[in-house]
Every structure is written in structure tokens, then in C-alpha cells.
Amino acid sequence: MTTRRTQVAIIGGGPAGLLLGHLLRAEGIDCLIVERQTRAHVEGRIRAGVLETLTTELLERLGIDAGLKAHGMREEGFNLADGEHVIRIDIARLTGKHVVVYGQTELTRDLIAAAPDRQLEIVFEAGEVAIHDPDSDTPSISYTKDGIVHRVDCAIIAGCDGFHGPSRKAIPAGPERVFEREYPFGWLGILADVPPCHPELIYSNSERGFALASMRSPTRSRYYIQVPSSERLGDWPEDRLWDELERRFAPLAERPVTRGPALEMSIAPLRSYVFETMRYGRLFLAGDAAHIVPPTGAKGLNLAASDVAYLSDALIGYFKRGDESGLRDYETRALARIWKAERFSWSLTKLMHRFPEDGAFERRMQQAELDYLAGSPAMQTAIAENYVGLPL
Ligand code: APR
Ligand code: PHB
């Protein structure tokens, strides 16, 4: 067994862990990231791709924005549709802000590539990661690598290990602090090297169910459709999905949907989840470890970034000035923003999907809300300001 010491032991090398590591290193704080998967696995995962200003500003502040500047697509509006009519949300005019389309995959690669120069150590393929004594003054983590057990003593443990990681499970919390809503459908996604059918994102509530047209670049498209939870990928040959996308976007998009071989296809379930106990002694949760939003609204990655913005501030205050107030306030500050993003993602999911349990009345409610939205700058502003991201 080996033993070493660091100031912050970060579990998980997804966007939350990587961003936190960089923000701490930028202030000279010692940290170490332990990640269960291989580097290739982490860099290959296809996830969402819409960044709020807050997230792009963090990358700019870190100077890890070359890829973002070169390949990020500035989007000044996006579209909600009722299947036939497009309602454009002019986010630039309504909020003075914009979002940037840049894949989480690319962002993760940039953060990993920038690590060595900034002395941010990432241990990939760390097995059996365990948390010890988080509620004491001498917490530590351990992991195995190449058959050797390593122990890391630290002052703080950051649980950035996603929804299935060990950090949340290390926190004893009553059910009254856990909130969950599962949705009776998932998103079937496809990534392909074909030009997008529309210059801006379109979220559509069509007769055949929800569909989203998104992109990664002028030559790479990302599409999703709503499918019942019982559906399997094997039920969806590529052509069946393209047929479906063609039907749903033909009335809405500037150009016909262009088909091409799938670079990736996957089905993701939709869930809302909040674990309110984000601190237990010296263990702090950030990102998907503490909360999940359905992808409607693209808040998952951005919420991970805002958690980490609060947490890094708190840790910098603690290590640089011995000020514990940021650590004390972390959970309250983070949850205030998390719940608002949960509300937005939930309400957009409800507005834009066909729920199997819904009857004619619920459908009329959706239609009335979309109709109201189409004619109301006030409601468009409310949606736009949530989409670009609420202030910290
Ligand atoms: N030990 C070490 N690492 C672990 C363990 C473990 N036992 N379990 C999970 N991890 C790693 C995962 O392999 C993953 O790389 O923790 C990381 C968590 O990353 P994400 O799941 O991406 O979560 P987060 O960093 O909070 O980012 C949230 O990313 O996953 C999307 O939809 C999500 O957009 C949201 C954002
Ligand atoms: C994506 O491009 O993958 C994407 C965009 C917007 C969303 C979700 C996913 O709301």
C-alpha cells in the first residue's frame, strides 16, 4: 500500500471533477482526480452540447478555451415547435446573452489535455475507490491501481462521481432529503456527420412525440426522439430513426433532414432527481452525484459547472484565508440554483413531450401554453433567461 497527501481528493473525472481540479490548480491548491474509467472511455462518451455563458466564462478564465473559440457555435436563438409551427425564442434580444453549442465530449477532451501543463494529476482506471471517515478531521480515500492499494489523506473530498458513483452513497441522509421523478420515456439519440437541417436547435412536440434537432458543427448533427421506456436500441435500425426524424422535422426545418451513418446511437432514460444533502463533514457533492435533470433544456452539464463554481470559491476561501463560511454555505447556495434548473427542465419536459398517461385535457393545456408562448414576449423572456442560465 502507498500513502500520500493532498488538499482535495476529487472522485470522478467527468466535467464536474475536471473543472473543479483546474479551478483549484489555478489557485495553487493541491488536488488529485481519481477516475474509474480509462481515458479513452471518458473522452469517447457522447453527451449534450449546449453551454451557458457561465460555463464558457469558467473555461475562458482557465484559459482552456481554444477549442471552444475555434469550434463552438454561438447560438442567439432556439426554437420550440408544436409539430407544425415554430416559435423562435430570440435569446439575444430577450436577454442580451447567447449560448454556445460545443460538445461535452470535446470539452472533456480539452480539460484532460490541459491537465499535465497545470500539474493536475488524473489517475484513470482507479479501481475500488472508497471514502474513509468523511465526517472526521482526517478523511481519506483509497483506490487500487495495477494491483496496488493507494491511500490519499486529504482535507476535503469532492464527490464528482456522477449518478452511480460511491460518494452519494457514503452520505447518511433520510428519504426526506431525496426527491425523484421518473419519466415514462427516454431519448433515442443519433450523432452523424451530416449538415444540420436547421441553423438553430428545434425542440418539437409533434403528434408522433417529442423530437430535437441539434448539432455539433456545420457538418455534424445530433438528433433525438422520444421513445417509450420499454424501447431497445435493437428496435431502431438507423433508417427507421431517419424516417422518423424526416417526418417530424419536414414541416419545421429550413432544409430536409440529411441522412448519414451513425457515429453513435443510444437511448437515455429521463429523470429528475435531487439529493439535498450535498455536504457530509468534509465530503462535498457536485454535479450528477447530487442531481439529475432531464435533458430538455440542456442544464445537466451547466449545473455541474455552477456547483463547481460555488465549491471552488468555497475551497479557495478555506485554503487561502482559512475562511469556512463558503463551505458552510455551499449546499444552500448550490441548491437554490439547482432547484430552479430542475423546475425549468421539468416544465420544458412536460410542455414538449407526449405522456402516455395524459388525456385530451392535458394535451389542450400543452397547446394553450405553446399558443400563449407564441404571443407573449414575457413568457418568451422567462424561457430565454432560464435557457441562457440564471445568475450564480
Ligand atoms: N470511482 C471513480 N470514478 C467514478 C466512480 C468510482 N467509483 N464512479 C463513477 N466515476 C466517474 C465516472 O466514470 C465519470 O467519469 O465519475 C465521473 C462522473 O462524470 P459524469 O457522470 O459526467 O458527471 P458530472 O461530472 O457531474 O457531469 C455532469 O455530465 O454526465 C453528464 O449528463 C451529465 O451533463 C451532465 C454532466
Ligand atoms: C445536444 O445537442 O446533445 C442537446 C442539445 C440540447 C438539449 C439536449 C441535448 O436540450
Side-chain angles (χ1 to χ4, degrees):
M1 177 159 114
T2 73
T3 307
R4 63 188 281 190
R5 202 178 159 77
T6 189
Q7 287 174 297
V8 183
I10 301 174
I11 305 176
L18 290 166
L19 268 175
L20 178 64
H22 276 294
L23 288 164
L24 295 177
R25 288 303 305 134
E27 295 293 324
I29 295 169
D30 266 350
C31 58
L32 168 73
I33 299 178
V34 292
E35 164 58 50
R36 184 165 63 108
Q37 302 286 356
T38 63
R39 176 172 176 174
H41 178 97
V42 173
E43 292 187 333
R45 287 191 296 229
I46 307 296
R47 298 272 175 81
V50 177
L51 308 186
E52 296 175 358
T53 312
L54 180 122
T55 307
T56 56
E57 278 172 1
L58 281 181
L59 293 165
E60 278 159 25
R61 197 169 108 198
L62 289 167
I64 309 179
D65 57 346
L68 180 72
K69 282 219 174 78
H71 305 293
M73 296 167 79
R74 182 188 169 100
E75 296 285 312
E76 301 200 336
F78 72 101
N79 304 278
L80 297 172
D82 64 0
E84 287 169 33
H85 309 100
V86 171
I87 305 164
R88 180 163 188 271
I89 308 294
D90 187 336
I91 49 185
R93 187 175 51 79
L94 295 165
T95 68
K97 295 184 184 158
H98 61 274
V99 293
V100 176
V101 167
Y102 189 64
Q104 181 172 318
T105 311
E106 286 68 27
L107 185 149
T108 304
R109 280 182 202 154
D110 297 348
L111 292 170
I112 293 174
D117 274 355
R118 293 149 192 252
Q119 285 84 46
L120 172 59
E121 191 185 341
I122 309 170
V123 179
F124 289 100
E125 296 171 79
E128 296 164 64
V129 173
I131 294 166
H132 309 285
D133 310 314
D135 55 341
S136 77
D137 287 340
T138 53
S140 64
I141 65 161
S142 61
Y143 62 93
T144 57
K145 169 107 184 172
D146 303 326
I148 299 168
V149 179
H150 302 273
R151 194 179 89 199
V152 184
D153 296 326
C154 54
I156 299 286
I157 302 169
C160 301
D161 45 4
F163 190 62
H164 301 286
S167 296
R168 189 175 67 253
K169 294 173 191 131
I171 301 182
E176 73 284 355
R177 302 275 286 165
V178 184
F179 301 83
E180 184 160 24
R181 168 99 152 85
E182 280 190 33
Y183 300 89
F185 41 74
W187 278 17
L188 165 62
I190 187 167
L191 183 72
D193 273 332
V194 291
C197 64
H198 203 75
E200 294 176 342
L201 274 72
I202 307 176
Y203 297 78
S204 180
N205 177 341
S206 86
E207 189 114 24
R208 305 178 66 88
F210 169 82
L212 167 60
S214 180
M215 70 208 77
R216 290 291 174 274
S217 76
T219 56
R220 183 170 286 187
S221 302
R222 179 71 167 158
Y223 290 101
Y224 301 91
I225 62 165
Q226 167 185 354
V227 293
S229 299
S230 54
E231 216 89 331
R232 296 288 156 258
L233 215 46
D235 302 329
W236 286 91
E238 287 177 33
D239 271 332
R240 180 175 174 211
L241 177 52
W242 288 118
D243 288 346
E244 203 53 49
L245 289 166
E246 214 165 71
R247 277 196 207 102
R248 296 192 200 183
F249 287 111
L252 305 171
E254 216 170 80
R255 288 180 298 272
V257 169
T258 308
R259 300 178 181 222
L263 300 170
E264 192 255 8
M265 263 177 89
S266 55
I267 297 183
L270 266 69
R271 174 189 283 128
S272 297
Y273 178 92
V274 180
F275 187 85
E276 283 193 331
T277 309
M278 292 179 73
R279 174 188 190 170
Y280 177 58
R282 292 174 166 264
L283 167 63
F284 292 81
L285 301 182
D288 277 17
H291 43 77
I292 297 286
V293 286
T296 334
K299 289 287 159 242
L301 169 61
N302 295 299
L303 261 194
S306 62
D307 283 359
V308 158
Y310 293 129
L311 185 56
S312 60
D313 260 8
L315 290 171
I316 292 162
Y318 175 65
F319 286 111
K320 295 248 155 163
R321 303 186 298 277
D323 173 5
E324 293 220 21
S325 64
L327 294 179
R328 266 199 308 274
D329 295 344
Y330 168 66
E331 183 180 279
T332 308
R333 289 179 77 198
L335 279 174
R337 195 169 190 280
I338 289 162
W339 275 118
K340 292 185 196 89
E342 289 282 348
R343 186 211 64 81
F344 178 64
S345 309
W346 162 84
S347 73
L348 208 55
T349 300
K350 294 234 307 175
L351 178 62
M352 300 309 293
H353 292 75
R354 298 294 169 112
F355 285 69
E357 68 267 28
D358 278 0
F361 180 79
E362 283 76 16
R363 178 66 199 129
R364 281 285 187 270
M365 291 298 98
Q366 287 185 335
Q367 288 169 320
E369 190 166 335
L370 285 165
D371 193 26
Y372 175 46
L373 174 67
S376 165
M379 190 176 169
Q380 290 177 14
T381 305
I383 291 205
E385 72 182 12
N386 278 279
Y387 200 77
V388 299
L390 298 176
L392 271 185

